[in-house]
Amino acid sequence: MHIAVVGTGYVGLVSGTCFAEFGMNVTCVDLDKDKIKRLRKGEIPIFEPGLEDLLKKQIKTNRIAFTTDLEDAVKKSDVVFIAVGTPPNSNGDGQADLSYVREAAKQIALAMDGYTVIVTKSTVPVGTAQEIEKVIRDARPNGDFDVASNPEFLREGAAVNDFMRPDRVIIGTSSERARKVLQEIYRPLFLNETPIVFTKRETAEIIKYAANAFLATKITFINEIADLCEMAGGDVQVVAKALGLDGRISPKFLHAGPGYGGSCFPKDTLALAQTGQKFEARQRIVETVVAVNTERRERMAQRIIKACGGSVSGKRIGILGIAFKPNTDDVREAPSLSIIPILQDGGAKIVAYDPAAMEQAKRHLTRIDWKNDPYQVADKADALVIITEWNEFRALDIEKIGALMKEKILVDLRNIYKISEMEDTGFHYVSIGRPDVKPEIVHLKKVSAAS
Ligand code: UDX
């Protein structure tokens, strides 16, 4: 089976490499000549654990090739995956910009030779497969082809594993011929007994948005419960654990924090809300989730300012973690990019460190004193803020950190430290949806317990 993958961004590159691992012959296509040159040498332009090794292995087997020649790649392929970007459009209304998808479809139409299945892997709004079919039919009225939808559910930082061991595969097509071809591609997963959902294209397209919006809703829900815990004296981690013990709810995506970010949830929730309005089927829950998550960044900044006694003016604030989550260098829609400027506007001097995302962050943040490790960040800081839960922040030498800091204030927006382990450290420890630890209160408690 010959496969062409158009677009070597995140989705295209992971999918192409993994299809080669499945035993397919894959050609990945991109307009960017430099990128293609680097990919041929097995160098990947993104930070994704495990991907470079797998790509190098597939290059050696000759099952994967890279080219800028779309026509040649499509001509020799039975299946063409469209994996180009669908960024938010420039109107700012949240709808996905489908111009790259349409352009790819046109070029594929002109190049295809013999029966070809064209598959959308990019996240596209409901109705796009039908639109692509029209674009191709207009260009090739007698063309022998089918258009199918096969959305992906890859998480950054775990994408290879998510592709090789998915919870499910969604294949949207009403054509028996296309179904057989796609079933063959996913044969290794079929043999694995991975659930494969065959459905209509429209249903497949909606599944992708519904899945992301549901997860974003779950996160936003627990974040609001965390707000309630803070005000009423509860502990959100215990609430989340107890909720998760209910098999109908599941414990995943119930970690309270500074709000969701990344290249998918913010974009896809907004796009789903827009699609709902377009089809006169408003998605009011999703609309609210978008608003609450946006507002949350401001709330987080205010929480930091409050922990610093009501003002950060002239204070040195140390930030640990810029990426929207650990194990990625991606800063797209990262809460840090909203929180830091608010602190800077309040007069704070920002010192920061991230294990992988500093280069990316430099494009979006200014006036930051970048450091090489958490201890340099803590040095002379008035407060330390954990925004991303990288593993290397989980076992800091708290005593050493405290000795370096000017004021012992730790704001942990990811709840990576236990309240009990912070109690005797002399830190004012502020986390999410849990009681603050205040050194004087601990001290008073001990005195009254002793008397
Ligand atoms: C997500 C989906 O998980 C994936 O299926 C889809 O294909 C693309 O979007 P990704 O953006 O890589 O993947 O990140 P994910 O791990 O899902 O986290 C998204 C955001 O939610 C991050 O900002 C993360 O910090 C936040 N999050 C996640 C929470 O705040 N709490 C949680 O419990 C889980």
Side-chain angles (χ1 to χ4, degrees):
M1 180 87 67
H2 282 265
I3 295 178
V5 179
V6 180
T8 60
Y10 200 80
V11 173
L13 198 51
V14 173
S15 308
T17 308
C18 292
F19 283 141
E21 175 77 8
F22 283 176
M24 309 287 141
N25 292 303
V26 181
T27 311
C28 294
V29 186
D30 205 289
L31 294 171
D32 185 337
K33 286 194 183 114
D34 277 349
K35 198 173 178 190
I36 290 295
K37 232 190 240 166
R38 286 183 59 193
L39 286 168
R40 281 183 183 142
K41 288 190 257 171
E43 291 170 18
I44 60 165
I46 52 173
F47 180 96
E48 184 57 43
L51 184 59
E52 194 156 302
D53 288 348
L54 194 61
L55 176 60
K56 287 199 165 121
K57 179 179 156 203
Q58 292 312 321
I59 290 174
K60 273 197 197 139
T61 66
N62 275 330
R63 277 205 296 267
I64 192 160
F66 294 92
T67 182
T68 51
D69 188 346
L70 182 140
E71 190 183 340
D72 182 56
V74 169
K75 252 193 182 69
K76 61 182 185 214
S77 294
D78 309 286
V79 184
V80 183
F81 283 89
I82 301 181
V84 297
T86 54
N89 71 17
S90 51
N91 307 344
D93 63 2
Q95 303 248 33
D97 175 357
L98 295 179
S99 55
Y100 301 107
V101 173
R102 286 192 202 100
E103 188 50 38
K106 260 187 229 159
Q107 292 186 30
I108 293 164
L110 299 177
M112 64 190 193
D113 189 11
Y115 178 65
T116 310
V117 185
I118 296 103
V119 191
T120 50
K121 253 221 178 292
S122 309
T123 299
V124 287
V126 57
T128 305
Q130 200 184 356
E131 193 186 328
I132 291 175
E133 182 165 310
K134 188 172 175 322
V135 169
I136 300 178
R137 183 62 67 205
D138 286 349
R140 291 285 294 273
N142 300 316
D144 189 12
F145 70 96
D146 278 304
V147 177
S149 163
N150 172 220
E152 54 72 31
F153 301 92
L154 309 177
R155 283 166 305 162
E156 289 186 23
V160 173
N161 190 56
D162 283 352
F163 198 98
M164 305 303 283
R165 278 169 283 278
D167 288 341
R168 77 306 206 187
V169 172
I170 310 295
I171 295 177
T173 177
S174 304
S175 150
E176 193 50 36
R177 219 167 153 199
R179 175 189 163 124
K180 282 206 178 111
V181 171
L182 285 161
Q183 199 164 338
E184 183 57 29
I185 291 180
Y186 283 108
R187 212 173 112 81
L189 299 182
F190 206 68
L191 298 175
N192 249 353
E193 299 192 358
T194 300
I196 303 202
V197 178
F198 290 100
T199 183
K200 284 176 67 178
R201 295 186 304 207
E202 288 75 10
T203 310
E205 289 167 337
I206 290 173
I207 288 169
K208 167 72 199 211
Y209 281 95
N212 276 357
F214 189 82
L215 293 171
T217 303
K218 215 173 162 189
I219 296 166
T220 308
F221 175 82
I222 201 67
N223 284 343
E224 286 206 314
I225 294 292
D227 293 345
L228 179 62
C229 287
E230 279 160 24
M231 300 311 285
D235 183 330
V236 74
Q237 277 186 309
V238 181
V239 175
K241 190 168 179 202
L243 286 179
L245 290 171
D246 185 328
R248 295 169 300 177
I249 296 176
S250 118
K252 291 183 181 161
F253 281 68
L254 280 180
H255 299 288
Y260 61 80
S263 64
C264 292
F265 286 178
K267 170 169 84 77
D268 295 349
T269 43
L270 212 55
L272 182 59
Q274 282 297 323
T275 304
Q277 296 200 2
K278 182 176 149 201
F279 283 88
E280 294 183 1
R282 270 187 72 185
Q283 302 296 300
R284 279 174 297 182
I285 293 175
V286 180
E287 287 174 14
T288 306
V289 164
V290 171
V292 172
N293 193 63
T294 306
E295 221 174 78
R296 189 158 184 84
R297 283 133 194 246
E298 171 74 35
R299 285 178 77 95
M300 292 299 104
Q302 291 312 327
R303 202 157 164 69
I304 297 164
I305 294 169
K306 188 172 161 222
C308 293
S311 167
V312 288
S313 181
K315 293 196 171 154
R316 189 177 169 90
I317 309 290
I319 302 285
L320 297 181
I322 305 287
F324 81 96
K325 66 172 195 177
N327 297 325
T328 177
D329 65 350
D330 199 339
V331 300
R332 281 176 287 177
E333 299 288 337
S336 61
L337 298 192
S338 306
I339 295 170
I340 290 172
I342 299 174
L343 300 177
Q344 288 175 321
D345 286 348
K349 162 133 189 50
I350 303 293
V351 194
Y353 167 68
D354 186 287
M358 293 195 287
E359 280 315 307
Q360 299 291 340
K362 282 175 191 166
R363 298 192 202 159
H364 304 271
L365 294 168
T366 55
R367 296 178 288 133
I368 309 276
D369 185 0
W370 296 104
K371 299 290 185 192
N372 297 320
D373 71 51
Y375 299 95
Q376 289 180 2
V377 171
D379 194 21
K380 299 185 191 64
D382 292 282
L384 194 60
V385 183
I386 298 169
I387 303 190
T388 317
E389 70 278 32
W390 283 94
N391 271 344
E392 68 177 88
F393 303 153
R394 289 179 188 271
L396 295 173
D397 181 338
I398 292 293
E399 208 178 313
K400 185 172 162 191
I401 293 272
L404 287 166
M405 291 178 71
K406 202 163 143 204
E407 295 279 342
K408 289 166 83 168
I409 298 171
L410 177 59
V411 183
D412 176 3
L413 300 184
R414 298 287 184 168
N415 288 351
I416 62 178
Y417 285 93
K418 288 197 183 108
I419 297 282
S420 56
E421 64 189 335
M422 293 309 296
E423 269 175 355
D424 286 323
T425 58
F427 264 89
H428 176 193
Y429 175 69
V430 174
S431 55
I432 298 294
R434 303 187 300 176
D436 288 1
V437 175
K438 291 196 175 130
E440 58 283 3
I441 292 174
V442 173
H443 180 67
L444 285 177
K445 236 178 22 195
K446 291 220 160 134
V447 171
S448 62
S451 61

